[in-house]
């Protein structure tokens, strides 16, 4: 059976489902009054940012494509320029599809938000369905396009290097999209919270606050467009790494078979997702994930039996999938609003902001252990399970565990995009004056969305972890093919140790650059909010007909994000090349090992600590520890403010950074072999 063609057909089915959900959501009614106008402001602001961001990134993509034509995989004067042109074309295609994932996500999210808010007047279940099916459009489109692109390129070229270039295009654009969107969303969120909740004591989405529209725009450009590009990148990177290892072993059919069946399982999962009238939306999201996992495990087992794929490889795939669930459960425990860590941090808030920060970071650090242990255990079990099959199969087992973790990514993205949609729904419901009952429903959906986002961020980080271990194996395979020598990671080798230390430092610098960008821009927006409250008569008092200048805050966030998004990502890429040209492939091997460990640790810490602070704030707002307006609430808002760039800017961008430097290393391996000082 031609499994690459089967993957293309399943991708086409995913596009059909996405189109059906898009039409279904679009036909839902929108409440009369200001709701539609608020929704249009958010949609307009999101697309304005995206247009500006992509204009800058188009220049970056053009420059990188030119460099690929000139130098990759080897300088064109030393080989065939046609191969270099193919790499550049694949890179551009990956970039375009990654950008398209963001456009699709923004398009549906800014339609679904006002419809989910309107549907909440009829109850929790209709509002949940509007939010979830809006998110499912993103899930189906992202996974369908990544699998479709990989299968088409393989059928046309049978060259894993072309798929690596395609993956690099997706990863590099995702890196900048996630960083830019994260800076935008947290600039607005922090400024709105500090001036509104802490200083003035007004509600979260009070229309008097000039930053509230920018805050809602940020949910879309950061959590929808950015995360969509991020998981698009992880999915295609896992396929590319596995293909490099699988091709010499004649196992590429297995990749497309399991990838297509994973997408099919996700399609079944999103089509059957439901919640009862008084059901628990968080439990419904988790049920959908578990159902998809079960369907995937059964489908791949049956396919393995019928088509005689080795069951050891199936076992390695299932191990990766189970590790993804474990990481999700860990994130749920440390960030869920019904769990002990959130309650304990909320009680710590009664003693002041310092204890809020200390307790949150402590739990964030603890949460990294089970997640990293899960990634390590999955890689170890998969390696040992497939090692008896012969040379090369151990690393194929690790790459298949990454495929397994990402097999249900269609459902994961659907859950993730649900989060910002219902978050927006809560905001537009308050600004549209839909009443307390609607706010109560959207708050419940939003709390489930916060936990869902924390789980999916943990999942994305875990998936990146297994993917980059597979990419490390792919890098070693490329070096072996070029030199005939196996790269051994000996810590006593000074070149490897040098690379490892530099690699470990890069994620910390990268995260710091992004958070400093948020810090600088938030200060500018806070000053602008103060200016408007002080100079616009009647704004602070809420006088009828007096509105703030929302566009000014959107512009501050947009300009600041676009200015800050390039330097951090470029620093990581340049550092990889510098290490390679100084120490060669040995130093790069150490660099990747250090970067992976440091990057995953920081990403887990930031993602879980940020989610914990966010839900501790919501726990207090639900009436615990003094409720809204209490000293504990103000301390929790400060904790959430610190956690915002942790969980939505630096944390989720780190897993993309790790993937990007791994792909750069693989693509530039031939150059490092030819040119290095030591």
């Amino acid at each position: 059976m031609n499994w690459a063609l089967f993957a293309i057909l399943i991708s086409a089915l995913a596009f059909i489902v996405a189109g059906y959900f898009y039409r279904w959501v679009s036909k839902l009614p929108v409440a009369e009054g200001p709701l539609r106008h608020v929704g249009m402001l958010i949609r307009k602001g999101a697309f304005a940012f995206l247009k500006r961001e992509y204009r800058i990134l188009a220049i970056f993509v053009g420059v990188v494509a030119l460099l690929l034509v000139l130098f990759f995989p080897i300088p064109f004067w030393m080989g065939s320029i046609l191969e270099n042109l193919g790499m550049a074309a694949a890179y551009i295609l990956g970039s375009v599809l990654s950008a398209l994932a963001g456009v699709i996500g923004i398009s549906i999210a800014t339609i679904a938000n006002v419809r989910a808010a309107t549907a909440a007047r009829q109850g929790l279940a209709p509002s949940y369905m509007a939010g979830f099916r809006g998110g499912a459009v993103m899930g189906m489109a992202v996974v369908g396009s990544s699998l479709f692109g990989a299968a088409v390129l393989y059928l046309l070229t049978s060259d894993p290097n072309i798929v690596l270039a395609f993956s690099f295009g997706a990863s590099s654009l995702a890196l900048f999209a996630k960083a830019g969107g994260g800076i935008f969303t947290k600039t607005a969120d922090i400024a709105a919270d500090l001036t509104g909740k802490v200083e003035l004591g007004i509600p979260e989405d009070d229309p008097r606050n000039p930053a509230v529209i920018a805050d809602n725009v940020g949910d879309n450009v950061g959590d929808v467009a950015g995360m969509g590009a991020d998981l698009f990148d992880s999915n295609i990177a896992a396929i590319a790494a596995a293909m490099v290892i699988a091709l010499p072993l004649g196992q590429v059919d297995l990749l497309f078979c399991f990838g297509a069946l994973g997408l099919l399982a996700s399609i079944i999962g999103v089509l059957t997702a439901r919640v009862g009238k008084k059901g628990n939306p968080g439990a419904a999201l988790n049920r959908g994930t578990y159902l998809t996992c079960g369907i995937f495990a059964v489908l791949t087992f049956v396919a393995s039996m019928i088509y005689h794929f080795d069951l050891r490889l199936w076992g390695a795939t299932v191990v990766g999938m189970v590790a993804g669930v474990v990481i999700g459960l860990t994130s749920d425990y440390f960030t869920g609003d019904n769990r002990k860590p959130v309650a304990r941090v909320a009680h710590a808030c009664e003693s002041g902001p310092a204890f809020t920060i200390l307790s949150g970071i402590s739990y964030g650090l603890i949460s990294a252990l089970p997640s990293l242990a899960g990634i390590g255990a999955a890689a170890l079990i998969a390696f040992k399970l497939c090692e008896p099959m012969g040379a090369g199969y151990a690393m194929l087992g690790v790459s298949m565990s990454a495929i397994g973790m990402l097999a249900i990514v269609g459902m994961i993205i659907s859950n993730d995009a649900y989060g910002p949609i219902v978050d927006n729904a809560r905001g537009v419901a308050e600004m549209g004056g839909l009443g307390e009952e609607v706010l109560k429903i959207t708050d419940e959906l939003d709390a489930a969305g916060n936990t869902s986002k924390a789980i999916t961020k943990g999942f994305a980080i875990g998936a990146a972890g297994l993917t980059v271990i597979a990419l490390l194996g792919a890098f070693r395979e490329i070096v072996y093919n070029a030199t005939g020598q196996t790269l051994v990671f000996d810590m006593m080798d000074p070149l490897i140790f040098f690379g490892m230390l530099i690699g470990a430092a890069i994620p910390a610098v990268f995260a710091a650059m992004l958070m400093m960008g948020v810090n600088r821009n938030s200060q500018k927006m806070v000053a602008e909010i103060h200016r408007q409250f002080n100079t616009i008569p009647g704004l602070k008092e809420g006088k009828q007909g007096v509105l703030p200048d929302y566009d000014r805050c959107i512009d501050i966030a947009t300009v600041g994000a676009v200015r800050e998004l390039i330097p951090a990502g470029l620093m990581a890429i340049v550092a990889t090349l510098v290490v390679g040209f100084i120490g060669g492939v040995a130093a790069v091997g150490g660099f990747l090992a250090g970067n992976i460990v440091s990057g995953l640790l920081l990403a887990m810490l930031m993602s879980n600590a940020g989610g914990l602070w966010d839900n501790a704030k919501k726990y207090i707002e639900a009436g615990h520890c003094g409720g809204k307006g209490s000293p504990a609430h103000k301390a929790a808002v400060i904790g959430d403010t610190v956690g915002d760039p942790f969980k939505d800017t630096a944390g989720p961008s780190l897993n993309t950074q790790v993937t990007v430097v791994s792909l750069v290393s693989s693509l530039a391996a031939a150059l490092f072999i030819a040119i290095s000082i030591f």
Side-chain angles (χ1 to χ4, degrees):
M1 183 166 178
N2 189 328
W3 287 107
L5 186 59
F6 177 71
I8 291 172
L9 293 175
I10 296 298
S11 299
L13 178 61
F15 297 145
I16 292 169
V17 173
Y20 164 70
F21 282 159
Y22 195 104
R23 285 175 59 84
W24 186 89
V25 172
S26 299
K27 288 181 178 179
L28 294 175
V30 177
E32 296 297 325
L35 191 70
R36 189 181 296 273
H37 176 66
V38 171
M40 286 305 298
L41 285 175
I42 294 170
R43 186 175 176 87
K44 178 185 170 187
F47 274 106
F49 169 76
L50 218 57
K51 184 178 179 181
R52 204 159 181 172
E53 180 184 51
Y54 285 173
R55 194 181 300 137
I56 298 295
L57 292 181
I59 298 170
F60 174 83
V61 168
V63 171
V64 174
L66 178 61
L67 291 173
L68 287 171
V69 170
L70 295 176
F71 300 112
F72 294 89
I74 58 173
F76 73 92
W77 60 87
M78 296 171 61
S80 169
I81 194 168
L82 289 177
E83 187 177 2
N84 291 28
L85 286 169
M87 297 276 281
Y91 168 79
I92 293 170
L93 179 63
S95 301
V96 169
L97 288 180
S98 186
L100 189 61
V103 172
I104 291 169
I106 291 289
S107 181
I108 184 60
T110 52
I111 290 172
N113 56 3
V114 293
R115 284 154 178 81
T118 302
R121 297 186 304 180
Q122 299 174 324
L124 184 143
S127 185
Y128 170 88
M129 288 302 292
F132 179 78
R133 287 196 162 182
V137 173
M138 182 76 164
M140 296 297 97
V142 165
V143 185
S145 57
S146 62
L147 188 61
F148 178 86
V152 167
L153 287 174
Y154 176 71
L155 284 176
L156 290 175
T157 68
S158 298
D159 184 354
N161 285 329
I162 293 291
V163 182
L164 277 174
F166 176 70
S167 178
F168 178 50
S171 298
S172 59
L173 195 118
L175 178 66
F176 295 119
K178 191 65 194 162
I183 291 169
F184 183 108
T185 183
K186 293 306 110 180
T187 292
D189 196 359
I190 288 172
D193 278 357
L194 287 179
T195 53
K197 286 184 177 181
V198 176
E199 290 183 19
L200 299 174
I202 60 177
E204 182 170 356
D205 291 294
D206 194 303
R208 289 174 290 174
N209 193 327
V212 293
I213 296 293
D215 185 11
N216 283 287
V217 169
D219 289 335
N220 293 288
V221 299
D223 287 338
V224 177
M227 185 58 82
D230 180 6
L231 285 168
F232 178 95
D233 135 59
S234 291
N235 197 38
I236 191 61
I239 294 171
M243 194 177 292
V244 171
I245 299 166
L247 196 62
L249 302 172
Q251 295 287 347
V252 175
D253 279 352
L254 181 70
L255 310 183
F256 288 115
C257 172
F258 282 21
L261 292 176
L263 179 52
L264 181 60
S266 293
I267 291 171
I268 297 169
V270 298
L271 284 171
T272 56
R274 293 288 187 279
V275 67
K277 287 183 179 179
K278 295 184 179 180
N280 183 331
L285 292 170
N286 288 338
R287 270 198 312 272
T289 302
Y290 300 145
L291 174 65
T292 305
C293 287
I295 293 170
F296 171 71
V298 171
L299 288 177
T300 48
F301 179 78
V302 171
S304 297
M305 296 300 291
I306 293 173
Y307 293 98
H308 306 293
F309 296 130
D310 196 296
L311 285 180
R312 288 177 179 270
L313 293 170
W314 173 81
T317 307
V318 171
V319 163
M321 182 189 72
V322 171
V325 173
V326 169
I327 291 168
L329 291 173
T330 299
S331 295
D332 179 45
Y333 175 76
F334 282 99
T335 62
D337 57 354
N338 59 343
R339 304 291 189 180
K340 286 183 180 179
V342 165
R344 288 169 181 164
V345 171
H347 286 292
C349 293
E350 294 177 302
S351 301
F355 296 97
T356 306
I357 304 301
L358 284 171
S359 58
I361 287 183
S362 299
Y363 277 119
L365 286 166
I366 294 168
S367 74
L369 175 60
S371 298
L372 293 181
I375 296 169
L380 178 62
I381 293 168
F383 188 96
K384 290 297 182 183
L385 192 62
C386 299
E387 193 175 27
M389 294 175 65
Y393 277 95
M395 278 311 301
L396 179 61
V398 175
S399 66
M400 288 309 299
S401 68
I403 294 286
M405 189 179 283
L406 284 158
I408 59 161
V409 74
M411 174 58 82
I412 296 297
I413 295 175
S414 301
N415 287 356
D416 186 76
Y418 158 89
I421 287 172
V422 294
D423 190 358
N424 257 204
R426 194 254 178 240
V428 298
E430 184 167 325
M431 286 184 276
L434 295 188
E436 286 300 318
E437 189 59 34
V438 168
L439 286 179
K440 183 180 177 183
I441 289 171
T442 52
D443 274 337
E444 186 176 351
L445 294 172
D446 186 25
N450 274 332
T451 303
S452 166
K453 285 190 290 185
I455 291 171
T456 52
K457 282 185 176 73
F459 177 91
I461 295 164
L466 277 177
T467 298
V468 293
I469 293 170
L471 282 169
L472 188 57
F475 173 72
R476 195 170 69 164
E477 183 75 22
I478 290 168
V479 171
Y480 177 78
N481 291 338
T483 65
Q485 296 180 340
T486 300
L487 185 61
V488 178
F489 298 103
D490 181 0
M491 285 265 309
M492 298 308 294
D493 184 332
L495 283 176
I496 289 177
F497 194 65
F498 159 76
M500 192 176 292
L501 290 177
I502 302 299
I506 293 300
V509 176
F510 175 82
M513 290 175 73
L514 294 182
M515 289 192 289
M516 285 192 291
V518 171
N519 185 36
R520 283 189 289 267
N521 292 327
S522 296
Q523 289 181 34
K524 291 177 185 176
M525 192 174 290
V526 166
E528 172 60 23
I529 295 168
H530 286 157
R531 184 194 69 77
Q532 293 196 34
F533 275 126
N534 292 333
T535 59
I536 299 177
L539 178 61
K540 190 179 295 186
E541 296 76 20
K543 189 176 179 182
Q544 187 73 26
V546 177
L547 291 173
D549 184 357
Y550 297 123
D551 287 343
R552 179 63 190 140
C553 285
I554 292 172
D555 189 59
I556 288 172
T558 300
V559 171
V562 169
R563 184 186 299 120
E564 302 281 359
L565 67 88
I566 293 290
L570 206 56
M571 179 276 301
I573 294 171
V574 170
T576 310
L577 296 172
V578 169
V579 168
F581 289 129
I582 290 174
V585 291
V588 171
F591 177 89
L592 292 178
N595 194 266
I596 290 167
V597 174
S598 169
L600 294 179
L601 172 64
L602 284 173
M604 284 293 179
L605 157 67
M606 291 180 168
S607 177
N608 287 339
L612 180 63
W613 280 316
D614 193 349
N615 272 343
K617 177 194 70 175
K618 285 183 166 54
Y619 180 86
I620 292 172
E621 289 174 346
H624 303 95
C625 306
K628 289 183 180 180
S630 66
H633 183 229
K634 291 185 177 180
V637 171
I638 292 171
D640 181 39
T641 302
V642 174
D644 277 338
F646 267 42
K647 68 181 173 64
D648 290 327
T649 307
S653 296
L654 278 167
N655 56 308
T656 314
Q657 177 267 316
V658 172
T659 306
V660 167
V661 299
S662 299
L663 287 164
V664 170
S665 300
S666 294
L667 289 169
L671 283 176
F672 299 150
I673 292 167
I675 308 167
S676 64
I677 295 174
F678 297 102

